[in-house]
Each structure stands twice: as structure tokens, then as C-alpha cells.
Amino acid sequence: KTQVEQSPQSLVVRQGENCVLQCNYSVTPDNHLRWFKQDTGKGLVSLTVLVDQKDKTSNGRYSATLDKDAKHSTLHITATLLDDTATYICVVGDRGSALGRLHFGAGTQLIVIP
Amino acid sequence: EAAVTQSPRNKVTVTGGNVTLSCRQTNSHNYMYWYRQDTGHGLRLIHYSYGAGNLQIGDVPDGYKATRTTQEDFFLLLELASPSQTSLYFCASSDRAGNSDYTFGSGTRLLVI
């Protein structure tokens, strides 16, 4: 059973527009949540990590929220650029220790058009 | 620059063939991981290791062996490759499991025909 669900599956936006990606999960316990960016044919690059019960982070044009009560996270991308075209993957870590496992979503494919 | 390097980038083999995927990290990390990525699925953990000589079974280990020869090197072995193992394979390293940062390699695309 999939424990990390991302929506939408794919998204097309025009350059300069904002977009929001969603992540819902059922992983328990939920120690932390991380968003990765994966360019086509490349590895995963970490964008941000959220840890607190209700957390917010900001990294340039990327901002993210986490609500552990709702088991829900969002990734906001502001003023999109063509280079933002990629797959964005939500990952939930069930512990903050050597016993922990990462639970990966299937990703949201974002396409930014001129 | 700290990195995770995978080789080969692409590999084609026949059913029943023997394949070794290589991964080297220069991060001085203790933990290394092998994942596979398939369309419609999140990354799935095959095997992982806490250090040289250590091996732990992941969530989808069937048909795979792994060996960690040094702190830097982690290998994934497919001794009798099957078409179901056609996938994109990623290696990653971290300094400790948990919420520490992960470094991923660029992936190896394997096609079993």
C-alpha cells in the first residue's frame, strides 16, 4: 500500500507563474519530510527538510509547509523558470536514527513552458 | 566536491545474464543505499549498508545481492537478470540514517531483454 501520495501527478505551468505541489502520507511515525528535485535522467537533489509538528521552510523560490497532525505537506514554487521543469519527490522519514527508513512518493512531474 | 558516482550509466543485458552495478562515494559517509525507480512508484530500497563489510536487506531484495567492499564502494549484483529488473537504479549515501542529508548518484539505467 502506497504510504506517500503526491498530487497532481503532472502539472504544466507558464514561466513566471506560481504552483503548489501536494503530499499526503500515512507513514507512522513521521520524523521528518524532505522534498527532492529530480531532473530528467539525473539523481535526486534535496530542496528542503521539514521536521517540526507544524513547520515551514524557505529556500529561494521554494517554500514548504508540513502539518504532522494532518500528515500533509506542500511545496510552493514562486515565479517558475524553465529550469524548474523536473519531477518533485516527497519523502517521509519514519525515524531520525539508524533504524529509520525513507518512504518515497511517486513524484509530481512539473513542466514549465515559455 | 563530495559526490556519489555510479557506473555504468546505461547497461543492456540478456535474460539470465550477470550484471554488476558500481557505486563510489567520496563523502566519507558511513551509510550507502541501492534503490530502484520504476514509473508510477516511489524509489524502493533494495539493499543498504552501515559500513565496509556490512549488508542490510531492504524492501525489495529478491534477485539482488550487494557487497560493500570499502567505505567508498558499494556494488549491486544481479546474477540471473530478469526482464522485471529493468529499471533505473540509484545509489545514495548519508552520514547517518534519519534526517541527515542524502547524496544521490545520477543513476544507472538497466535494460534486461
Side-chain angles (χ1 to χ4, degrees), chain A residues 76-91:
Chain A
H76 297 247
I77 307 176
T78 303
T80 53
L81 303 173
L82 297 178
D83 284 348
D84 291 332
T85 294
T87 298
Y88 292 83
I89 297 175
C90 173
V91 183

PDB file of all heavy atoms in Angstrom, chain A residues 76-91:
ATOM      1  N   HIS A  76       5.695  25.001  -2.505  1.00  0.00           N
ATOM      2  CA  HIS A  76       5.330  26.134  -3.336  1.00  0.00           C
ATOM      3  C   HIS A  76       6.536  26.565  -4.153  1.00  0.00           C
ATOM      4  O   HIS A  76       7.627  26.742  -3.592  1.00  0.00           O
ATOM      5  CB  HIS A  76       4.880  27.320  -2.473  1.00  0.00           C
ATOM      6  CG  HIS A  76       3.667  27.057  -1.660  1.00  0.00           C
ATOM      7  ND1 HIS A  76       2.472  27.692  -1.880  1.00  0.00           N
ATOM      8  CD2 HIS A  76       3.457  26.203  -0.618  1.00  0.00           C
ATOM      9  CE1 HIS A  76       1.571  27.255  -0.997  1.00  0.00           C
ATOM     10  NE2 HIS A  76       2.149  26.355  -0.222  1.00  0.00           N
ATOM     11  N   ILE A  77       6.338  26.760  -5.427  1.00  0.00           N
ATOM     12  CA  ILE A  77       7.383  27.297  -6.283  1.00  0.00           C
ATOM     13  C   ILE A  77       6.878  28.626  -6.835  1.00  0.00           C
ATOM     14  O   ILE A  77       5.819  28.679  -7.485  1.00  0.00           O
ATOM     15  CB  ILE A  77       7.749  26.348  -7.434  1.00  0.00           C
ATOM     16  CG1 ILE A  77       8.096  24.950  -6.889  1.00  0.00           C
ATOM     17  CG2 ILE A  77       8.940  26.900  -8.227  1.00  0.00           C
ATOM     18  CD1 ILE A  77       8.369  23.912  -7.965  1.00  0.00           C
ATOM     19  N   THR A  78       7.619  29.675  -6.560  1.00  0.00           N
ATOM     20  CA  THR A  78       7.217  31.021  -6.945  1.00  0.00           C
ATOM     21  C   THR A  78       7.943  31.446  -8.223  1.00  0.00           C
ATOM     22  O   THR A  78       9.121  31.139  -8.401  1.00  0.00           O
ATOM     23  CB  THR A  78       7.570  32.011  -5.823  1.00  0.00           C
ATOM     24  OG1 THR A  78       6.943  31.579  -4.612  1.00  0.00           O
ATOM     25  CG2 THR A  78       7.104  33.415  -6.159  1.00  0.00           C
ATOM     26  N   ALA A  79       7.225  32.134  -9.098  1.00  0.00           N
ATOM     27  CA  ALA A  79       7.828  32.681 -10.320  1.00  0.00           C
ATOM     28  C   ALA A  79       8.646  31.619 -11.049  1.00  0.00           C
ATOM     29  O   ALA A  79       9.867  31.737 -11.211  1.00  0.00           O
ATOM     30  CB  ALA A  79       8.685  33.896  -9.979  1.00  0.00           C
ATOM     31  N   THR A  80       7.972  30.592 -11.506  1.00  0.00           N
ATOM     32  CA  THR A  80       8.649  29.441 -12.096  1.00  0.00           C
ATOM     33  C   THR A  80       9.548  29.822 -13.267  1.00  0.00           C
ATOM     34  O   THR A  80       9.252  30.756 -14.041  1.00  0.00           O
ATOM     35  CB  THR A  80       7.638  28.390 -12.565  1.00  0.00           C
ATOM     36  OG1 THR A  80       6.680  29.015 -13.414  1.00  0.00           O
ATOM     37  CG2 THR A  80       6.952  27.721 -11.394  1.00  0.00           C
ATOM     38  N   LEU A  81      10.625  29.067 -13.410  1.00  0.00           N
ATOM     39  CA  LEU A  81      11.560  29.206 -14.509  1.00  0.00           C
ATOM     40  C   LEU A  81      11.557  27.924 -15.337  1.00  0.00           C
ATOM     41  O   LEU A  81      11.138  26.860 -14.854  1.00  0.00           O
ATOM     42  CB  LEU A  81      12.984  29.444 -13.969  1.00  0.00           C
ATOM     43  CG  LEU A  81      13.175  30.631 -13.044  1.00  0.00           C
ATOM     44  CD1 LEU A  81      14.590  30.632 -12.462  1.00  0.00           C
ATOM     45  CD2 LEU A  81      12.922  31.940 -13.798  1.00  0.00           C
ATOM     46  N   LEU A  82      12.037  28.021 -16.575  1.00  0.00           N
ATOM     47  CA  LEU A  82      12.092  26.827 -17.419  1.00  0.00           C
ATOM     48  C   LEU A  82      12.908  25.718 -16.752  1.00  0.00           C
ATOM     49  O   LEU A  82      12.594  24.533 -16.887  1.00  0.00           O
ATOM     50  CB  LEU A  82      12.681  27.163 -18.788  1.00  0.00           C
ATOM     51  CG  LEU A  82      11.885  28.159 -19.629  1.00  0.00           C
ATOM     52  CD1 LEU A  82      12.602  28.454 -20.932  1.00  0.00           C
ATOM     53  CD2 LEU A  82      10.476  27.655 -19.894  1.00  0.00           C
ATOM     54  N   ASP A  83      13.956  26.095 -16.017  1.00  0.00           N
ATOM     55  CA  ASP A  83      14.807  25.104 -15.335  1.00  0.00           C
ATOM     56  C   ASP A  83      14.111  24.404 -14.172  1.00  0.00           C
ATOM     57  O   ASP A  83      14.653  23.450 -13.608  1.00  0.00           O
ATOM     58  CB  ASP A  83      16.091  25.779 -14.814  1.00  0.00           C
ATOM     59  CG  ASP A  83      17.082  26.044 -15.935  1.00  0.00           C
ATOM     60  OD1 ASP A  83      16.874  25.512 -17.045  1.00  0.00           O
ATOM     61  OD2 ASP A  83      18.058  26.783 -15.701  1.00  0.00           O
ATOM     62  N   ASP A  84      12.925  24.875 -13.811  1.00  0.00           N
ATOM     63  CA  ASP A  84      12.174  24.182 -12.762  1.00  0.00           C
ATOM     64  C   ASP A  84      11.508  22.918 -13.307  1.00  0.00           C
ATOM     65  O   ASP A  84      10.973  22.128 -12.524  1.00  0.00           O
ATOM     66  CB  ASP A  84      11.097  25.101 -12.172  1.00  0.00           C
ATOM     67  CG  ASP A  84      11.694  26.249 -11.368  1.00  0.00           C
ATOM     68  OD1 ASP A  84      12.810  26.074 -10.820  1.00  0.00           O
ATOM     69  OD2 ASP A  84      11.060  27.309 -11.293  1.00  0.00           O
ATOM     70  N   THR A  85      11.500  22.747 -14.602  1.00  0.00           N
ATOM     71  CA  THR A  85      10.955  21.525 -15.197  1.00  0.00           C
ATOM     72  C   THR A  85      11.708  20.319 -14.645  1.00  0.00           C
ATOM     73  O   THR A  85      12.920  20.196 -14.818  1.00  0.00           O
ATOM     74  CB  THR A  85      11.077  21.569 -16.730  1.00  0.00           C
ATOM     75  OG1 THR A  85      10.246  22.607 -17.230  1.00  0.00           O
ATOM     76  CG2 THR A  85      10.675  20.230 -17.348  1.00  0.00           C
ATOM     77  N   ALA A  86      10.959  19.457 -13.960  1.00  0.00           N
ATOM     78  CA  ALA A  86      11.578  18.329 -13.256  1.00  0.00           C
ATOM     79  C   ALA A  86      10.477  17.529 -12.580  1.00  0.00           C
ATOM     80  O   ALA A  86       9.307  17.903 -12.615  1.00  0.00           O
ATOM     81  CB  ALA A  86      12.580  18.814 -12.207  1.00  0.00           C
ATOM     82  N   THR A  87      10.878  16.440 -11.949  1.00  0.00           N
ATOM     83  CA  THR A  87       9.969  15.698 -11.083  1.00  0.00           C
ATOM     84  C   THR A  87      10.305  16.030  -9.636  1.00  0.00           C
ATOM     85  O   THR A  87      11.479  16.015  -9.250  1.00  0.00           O
ATOM     86  CB  THR A  87      10.100  14.176 -11.322  1.00  0.00           C
ATOM     87  OG1 THR A  87       9.743  13.883 -12.668  1.00  0.00           O
ATOM     88  CG2 THR A  87       9.196  13.401 -10.378  1.00  0.00           C
ATOM     89  N   TYR A  88       9.284  16.325  -8.857  1.00  0.00           N
ATOM     90  CA  TYR A  88       9.473  16.699  -7.459  1.00  0.00           C
ATOM     91  C   TYR A  88       8.948  15.564  -6.592  1.00  0.00           C
ATOM     92  O   TYR A  88       7.806  15.139  -6.731  1.00  0.00           O
ATOM     93  CB  TYR A  88       8.759  18.021  -7.162  1.00  0.00           C
ATOM     94  CG  TYR A  88       9.423  19.153  -7.887  1.00  0.00           C
ATOM     95  CD1 TYR A  88       9.127  19.421  -9.220  1.00  0.00           C
ATOM     96  CD2 TYR A  88      10.389  19.944  -7.260  1.00  0.00           C
ATOM     97  CE1 TYR A  88       9.768  20.442  -9.904  1.00  0.00           C
ATOM     98  CE2 TYR A  88      11.035  20.960  -7.939  1.00  0.00           C
ATOM     99  CZ  TYR A  88      10.720  21.197  -9.251  1.00  0.00           C
ATOM    100  OH  TYR A  88      11.367  22.195  -9.936  1.00  0.00           O
ATOM    101  N   ILE A  89       9.811  15.100  -5.713  1.00  0.00           N
ATOM    102  CA  ILE A  89       9.522  13.890  -4.955  1.00  0.00           C
ATOM    103  C   ILE A  89       9.457  14.204  -3.468  1.00  0.00           C
ATOM    104  O   ILE A  89      10.360  14.851  -2.916  1.00  0.00           O
ATOM    105  CB  ILE A  89      10.591  12.811  -5.229  1.00  0.00           C
ATOM    106  CG1 ILE A  89      10.558  12.423  -6.707  1.00  0.00           C
ATOM    107  CG2 ILE A  89      10.373  11.588  -4.345  1.00  0.00           C
ATOM    108  CD1 ILE A  89      11.644  11.462  -7.123  1.00  0.00           C
ATOM    109  N   CYS A  90       8.390  13.760  -2.846  1.00  0.00           N
ATOM    110  CA  CYS A  90       8.172  13.914  -1.408  1.00  0.00           C
ATOM    111  C   CYS A  90       8.637  12.638  -0.712  1.00  0.00           C
ATOM    112  O   CYS A  90       8.295  11.530  -1.152  1.00  0.00           O
ATOM    113  CB  CYS A  90       6.685  14.157  -1.163  1.00  0.00           C
ATOM    114  SG  CYS A  90       6.160  14.167   0.561  1.00  0.00           S
ATOM    115  N   VAL A  91       9.397  12.781   0.347  1.00  0.00           N
ATOM    116  CA  VAL A  91       9.957  11.626   1.046  1.00  0.00           C
ATOM    117  C   VAL A  91       9.737  11.800   2.547  1.00  0.00           C
ATOM    118  O   VAL A  91      10.100  12.840   3.108  1.00  0.00           O
ATOM    119  CB  VAL A  91      11.463  11.477   0.761  1.00  0.00           C
ATOM    120  CG1 VAL A  91      12.011  10.224   1.438  1.00  0.00           C
ATOM    121  CG2 VAL A  91      11.737  11.438  -0.735  1.00  0.00           C
TER     122      VAL A  91
END
